[in-house]
Amino acid sequence: MALAEAGARGRLLRWPRVLLFGDSITEYSFQENGWGAYLADRLVRKCDVVNRGISGYNTRWAKLILPRLITESTSADSIVAITIFFGANDSALKDLNPKQHVPLEEYAANLKSMIQYLKSVDITEDRIILITPPPLQESAWEKACLAKGDKLNRSNATTGQYAQACVQVAKDCGTDVLDLWTLMQKNQDFSSYLSDGLHLSPKGSSFLAAQLWSRLENKVSALPSLLPYWRDVDHTNPEASLL
């Protein structure tokens, strides 16, 4: 059978998608031992995990990009879940990092704006998971800043205010939320969760993946495996199994 004929007979295979939208902590999540790679491995044959992390970005910029990533006509119906993971840059101290800093009230408003946009393209609240920024290990991050000729430009207490705002937005909007800032500090020495005081170490990535899976599993549990197991393919008539 010609490939064109097979394509005409078979239904188009469309993988559902889990979209990861965030800053560098999301962008780096497909690195070795990354939390995004873990999810992709768990969900292979069920859906694609799509990384849309953009290093250095804040919610002010993210809300402008989101409508260019997802539109009702092209992609929204295939998204089974989306994570929105911003705040590590928004919470940068204004005096020391004015380019990335976003005021707390605007940060909350931007998150709400993104949720409202997703709802406008029929991605309902139950498919949205907000993730707060992780805690900041100030001494380690200060070393990273000094190595670049900068001063310490974030604080854990300020990051915590943004995390609380993220949790409140989730309550107000009816979405899931993963309060990473609080959960990681239940173990008082959270430094092992971070590679440089800000970004996740392999241990932190594993922690996030496990916490996120517990919130994501119910959203994807009903998804079937795409295409039959190879032993179930009729080898004498594969078209009957695969088209």
Side-chain angles (χ1 to χ4, degrees):
M1 180 186 294
L3 288 178
E5 184 181 349
R9 281 186 52 192
R11 291 178 291 111
L12 179 66
L13 280 169
R14 294 186 65 199
W15 263 243
R17 296 185 299 155
V18 172
L19 185 70
L20 311 180
F21 186 41
D23 52 34
S24 58
I25 303 175
T26 298
E27 182 175 327
Y28 302 161
S29 72
F30 273 29
Q31 294 179 348
E32 186 175 4
N33 298 315
W35 59 274
Y38 170 88
L39 294 177
D41 182 57
R42 289 291 298 264
L43 291 169
V44 72
R45 292 281 297 278
K46 287 201 167 190
C47 63
D48 288 335
V49 178
V50 181
N51 187 334
R52 291 294 179 265
I54 310 157
S55 180
Y57 275 51
N58 56 32
T59 57
R60 182 181 292 165
W61 304 341
K63 73 174 185 179
L64 300 177
I65 297 167
L66 187 60
R68 301 179 63 197
L69 296 178
I70 302 169
T71 65
E72 186 174 18
S73 62
T74 60
S75 58
D77 63 336
S78 70
I79 293 176
V80 294
I82 178 171
T83 60
I84 300 178
F85 189 3
F86 289 95
N89 297 315
D90 299 69
S91 60
L93 302 176
K94 182 179 180 180
D95 292 345
L96 294 170
N97 191 347
K99 186 168 185 176
Q100 291 179 301
H101 169 80
V102 172
L104 185 62
E105 296 77 10
E106 183 188 343
Y107 167 73
N110 290 340
L111 289 177
K112 288 182 178 179
S113 176
M114 286 188 271
I115 292 169
Q116 289 164 357
Y117 172 74
L118 292 172
K119 289 171 63 178
S120 78
V121 295
D122 295 327
I123 296 177
T124 49
E125 299 96 324
D126 61 306
R127 287 188 272 167
I128 302 169
I129 304 172
L130 299 187
I131 307 176
T132 76
L136 182 82
Q137 215 287 318
E138 293 179 11
S139 59
W141 184 242
E142 184 174 27
K143 289 180 182 178
C145 291
L146 290 172
K148 298 176 183 177
D150 299 326
K151 296 180 181 178
L152 177 64
N153 56 21
R154 289 163 170 79
S155 80
N156 192 39
T158 300
T159 302
Q161 294 175 354
Y162 284 72
Q164 291 170 9
C166 180
V167 170
Q168 188 60 51
V169 168
K171 289 179 181 177
D172 293 344
C173 296
T175 71
D176 274 347
V177 63
L178 173 51
D179 185 358
L180 202 57
W181 189 86
T182 298
L183 288 168
M184 281 188 166
Q185 291 184 94
K186 286 186 175 179
N187 174 4
Q188 290 187 351
D189 181 16
F190 60 88
S191 59
S192 62
Y193 289 135
L194 304 167
S195 62
D196 57 4
L198 175 69
H199 300 95
L200 300 182
S201 66
K203 181 179 178 180
S205 209
S206 177
F207 180 86
L208 170 54
Q211 293 290 332
L212 185 55
W213 182 252
S214 69
R215 291 158 175 80
L216 186 62
E217 188 173 13
N218 68 326
K219 303 181 193 306
V220 300
S221 59
L223 293 176
S225 289
L226 293 160
L227 296 173
Y229 180 53
W230 71 270
R231 291 187 186 276
D232 297 330
V233 175
D234 181 351
H235 69 282
T236 64
N237 182 21
E239 292 88 349
S241 302
L242 302 177
L243 295 179

